[in-house]
Amino acid sequence: MSITIPDEVVEAAHLTDEEAKMELVLALFARDRLTTGQACRLLGMDRISFQRLIATRSIPMHYDVQEFREDVATLKKRNQL
């Protein structure tokens, strides 16, 4: 699916096309409508760069206790913890 935002709207917001895309992705991520992986793919960024970007916007990572426990279990299975 493609979304078309009229040029005059983007210009009125004083954004480039890429900035408008970034704002949309960040808004969706902040509302927990996109995963980190989806947001990274849409923006063409690696996870570390994306984490730095959301940190500059004070947007928290979506990482709960259950995910932490799963990560710890995975690290233990790999003998990395």
Side-chain angles (χ1 to χ4, degrees):
M1 176 174 125
S2 295
I3 298 172
T4 302
I5 301 172
D7 289 338
E8 60 269 10
V9 172
V10 176
E11 289 171 10
H14 304 289
L15 298 170
T16 66
D17 291 351
E18 283 302 310
E19 289 169 333
K21 180 179 174 181
M22 182 184 306
E23 294 300 328
L24 175 60
V25 169
L26 290 174
L28 291 171
F29 178 81
R31 296 181 74 196
D32 206 14
R33 303 295 289 195
L34 290 177
T35 66
T36 302
Q38 291 167 330
C40 288
R41 280 192 299 280
L42 286 167
L43 295 177
M45 300 178 112
D46 60 70
R47 285 183 184 266
I48 297 298
S49 298
F50 181 71
Q51 289 173 352
R52 287 183 183 131
L53 174 63
I54 63 172
T56 66
R57 302 291 187 96
S58 299
I59 300 171
M61 280 296 297
H62 303 178
Y63 191 74
D64 62 19
V65 173
Q66 183 58 37
E67 289 172 308
F68 174 75
R69 288 181 178 145
E70 290 169 5
D71 286 346
V72 168
T74 299
L75 290 172
K76 284 181 177 179
K77 285 180 188 175
R78 294 180 182 172
N79 293 321
Q80 294 178 331
L81 184 65

